[in-house]
Amino acid sequence: MIEKFLTDLGFSEKEIEVYLKLLSVTDATVTELARMTGINRTTLYPILEQLLEKKIVLDVDKGKKARFQAEPPERLATYIQNEKTKLTEQEKLLDEVIPRLKSVTLQTGEKPIVKVFEGREGIIKSTEETFESTDNEKVVYLIYNKDQIDTAFSDKEKKMARNPRLEKGIKAISIYKKTGEDLVSDDMSERHRIKNEEYLISCDINIYDDRVRIHTMGESLNAIYIKNKDVADTLRTLFKLAIEGLK
């Protein structure tokens, strides 16, 4: 439990080993630590520097050789508080930093991020990654087969998928197929129906900002998530051309 706790705090395996060893003794030199842990002296120096920086180990002055001493375990509470303070400060800068990082990405050439999720649970998980907290885009483009979605997912699951979009005030412009009556458009949804049976729709496609989410809705349920501006822009253009054709 101790090792897992320290690992979750961001300690490396060797940092944990050295810290725990120092807790078990009064103090120790680098040579003594090397003998006790089996870690060579060259590797120990940067490890000790990290522990000193975390302020859970002290460099105590006892004669010619530097000796190291572990702070009381209670000092971990101070370390955690300091890390929380740093994260709070970083969060305040997030809105300013993200646009700058995006501009760097555009200048250097964006590398696509592609993820594959399997099964119904995978589709639900990929849906959660579509809308991010820092987004400003207010329109999402959808292509789907309503009958397939109704067969695969419950009303509760469909509502959970819609809620993040509605909470952020994002309008959905969609192309869809279904049996029965047309879906009605409203303030948050503009819907265009494909009535020609020649055109098959067997995937649920979502295009939003720089992200594309594709759900295969045939014999197996899977999700492909692509984060790339070029891909998203191209598919968005094709989508708009398709709407013009339907009109």
Side-chain angles (χ1 to χ4, degrees):
M1 184 186 75
I2 294 174
E3 285 81 357
K4 185 180 185 308
F5 174 78
L6 294 172
T7 298
D8 290 343
L9 282 182
F11 286 65
S12 70
E13 182 179 342
K14 285 186 169 55
E15 284 176 345
I16 294 171
E17 186 176 358
V18 172
Y19 172 60
L20 293 179
K21 186 58 67 177
L22 284 173
L23 278 174
S24 69
V25 298
T26 303
D27 54 55
T29 65
V30 173
T31 301
E32 291 167 346
L33 279 171
R35 186 176 64 254
M36 289 186 287
T37 62
I39 302 172
N40 65 58
R41 289 163 52 92
T42 305
T43 304
L44 274 171
Y45 283 110
I47 293 171
L48 288 165
E49 286 295 326
Q50 290 295 322
L51 294 173
L52 287 166
E53 187 176 328
K54 289 179 170 69
K55 300 187 187 306
I56 62 167
V57 165
L58 288 174
D59 183 352
V60 293
D61 187 10
K62 289 186 178 180
K64 295 181 179 180
K65 290 187 177 181
R67 302 188 70 86
F68 298 90
Q69 183 181 77
E71 289 275 27
E74 290 80 6
R75 186 56 62 91
L76 285 171
T78 303
Y79 170 74
I80 292 173
Q81 188 57 52
N82 289 338
E83 292 301 300
K84 286 171 64 177
T85 301
K86 290 178 187 176
L87 286 173
T88 300
E89 292 301 316
Q90 293 301 100
E91 187 177 25
K92 292 177 182 177
L93 296 173
L94 194 60
D95 290 341
E96 180 182 346
V97 170
I98 284 180
R100 297 187 183 187
L101 289 173
K102 285 187 174 181
S103 69
V104 171
T105 301
L106 291 174
Q107 291 170 12
T108 58
E110 184 182 16
K111 297 179 182 178
I113 297 172
V114 180
K115 300 179 183 178
V116 177
F117 303 87
E118 296 183 356
R120 294 173 72 263
E121 293 76 13
I123 286 180
I124 293 170
K125 180 171 177 56
S126 74
T127 303
E128 295 172 355
E129 297 197 17
T130 300
F131 304 110
E132 298 177 356
S133 61
T134 54
D135 290 330
N136 294 313
E137 181 66 39
K138 290 301 180 184
V139 178
V140 60
Y141 297 90
L142 309 173
I143 305 171
Y144 58 90
N145 185 312
K146 185 69 164 59
D147 295 332
Q148 288 182 328
I149 291 175
D150 288 344
T151 300
F153 299 98
S154 67
D155 290 341
K156 181 179 179 181
E157 288 170 330
K158 289 183 289 185
K159 183 177 180 181
M160 287 174 61
R162 284 194 303 269
N163 281 346
R165 172 178 71 83
L166 296 175
E167 288 171 2
K168 290 178 67 66
I170 299 169
K171 182 177 181 178
I173 301 178
S174 60
I175 296 173
Y176 71 95
K177 287 197 73 173
K178 75 179 290 288
T179 56
E181 298 180 357
D182 290 354
L183 297 176
V184 179
S185 297
D186 54 39
D187 291 341
M188 296 303 295
S189 301
E190 176 187 322
R191 301 179 170 108
H192 303 269
R193 183 174 182 177
I194 300 174
K195 296 183 178 180
N196 192 329
E197 293 302 320
E198 178 184 351
Y199 301 113
L200 301 177
I201 301 294
S202 299
C203 287
D204 175 7
I205 302 176
N206 177 308
I207 309 159
Y208 178 72
D209 197 27
D210 60 352
R211 273 146 271 156
V212 176
R213 193 186 75 233
I214 303 172
H215 296 163
T216 61
M217 304 294 294
E219 294 183 1
S220 63
L221 298 176
N222 295 288
I224 303 168
Y225 172 91
I226 304 170
K227 184 176 175 64
N228 180 268
K229 187 176 185 302
D230 294 337
V231 172
D233 285 346
T234 300
L235 288 178
R236 194 164 19 244
T237 297
L238 292 173
F239 184 96
K240 291 177 180 178
L241 289 171
I243 288 180
E244 290 301 315
L246 286 172
K247 288 180 180 179

